[in-house]
Amino acid sequence: RFMLEAARFGVGVTLQGASGSGKTHTVRELCATVGRPFMFVQTAAEDVTTTVKLMNALQAAISLGGICHCEINSSLSPGSILESRSGSHSGSAYYYMIAQTLSNVEEALAKSLSFVTVNQAIIPLNKNFLFSLVLYDSKIGSSARVALPAALRRVLRPFSFTVPHIKQ
């Protein structure tokens, strides 16, 4: 419920929390509870196949009103968003694609459109679409403190998970 409320002012949230705190599990359970399709993408390497997979999941979630949950290895993207525009090959290209897609969706929703342009394709827009993102760094393991890239700060709302220490 809280995650849907956090996304109410946009179409996406970023999930932060330590490994095992229940980020992905919560999104899966949310989908099952509200009857929405669940699209899961985890990026372990930046290549054309993963990029296509990410865009296909985003397009499917947008048109079906599902939740696209993406886990991105932030160690792939040492550069800024400007690098992806200048042609260098870094993880920031993922951030640019996500930010551009979510901006297009927000704009279409604001205009009450029933379609949106995603990656030069016009697709139906279901207003129940939600995007969730988890950033992790494979060099240090799953991290609750991976900074959200500037390109995504405008379109994603932060949502933190914590697990209390239980003495046994």
Side-chain angles (χ1 to χ4, degrees):
R1 182 187 83 161
F2 296 113
M3 192 165 75
L4 288 176
E5 287 178 18
R8 186 176 62 180
F9 299 105
V11 293
V13 295
T14 178
L15 306 178
Q16 301 170 334
S19 179
S21 62
K23 300 175 295 291
T24 302
H25 179 76
T26 299
V27 175
R28 279 194 179 127
E29 288 300 313
L30 175 66
C31 287
T33 301
V34 298
R36 291 193 193 175
F38 177 70
M39 289 77 178
F40 177 74
V41 179
Q42 184 174 32
T43 63
E46 183 172 357
D47 55 24
V48 173
T49 303
T50 306
T51 303
V52 169
K53 194 170 156 186
L54 172 60
M55 292 312 295
N56 286 343
L58 265 170
Q59 288 180 5
I62 290 167
S63 63
L64 298 172
I67 297 177
C68 180
H69 180 69
C70 184
E71 296 182 358
I72 297 179
N73 181 351
S74 65
S75 65
L76 295 174
S77 53
S80 70
I81 199 65
L82 296 174
E83 290 178 353
S84 65
R85 288 188 170 172
S86 66
S88 76
H89 193 65
S90 75
S92 59
Y94 285 134
Y95 305 145
Y96 176 75
M97 284 188 307
I98 293 167
Q100 186 62 52
T101 299
L102 296 181
S103 291
N104 290 352
V105 169
E106 284 181 339
E107 185 178 317
L109 288 171
K111 293 178 180 178
S112 299
L113 298 176
S114 60
F115 61 90
V116 65
T117 302
V118 176
N119 203 25
Q120 299 179 344
I122 297 174
I123 61 170
L125 173 60
N126 185 312
K127 66 180 181 175
N128 294 319
F129 160 71
L130 178 66
F131 178 80
S132 63
L133 172 70
V134 174
L135 292 178
Y136 68 96
D137 189 332
S138 63
K139 293 177 183 173
I140 58 173
S142 182
S143 173
R145 298 293 172 214
V146 174
L148 189 63
L152 295 177
R153 283 188 209 127
R154 191 183 66 75
V155 292
L156 296 177
R157 311 307 180 260
F159 191 78
S160 295
F161 283 72
T162 57
V163 179
H165 294 287
I166 300 173
K167 292 185 180 184
Q168 294 188 3

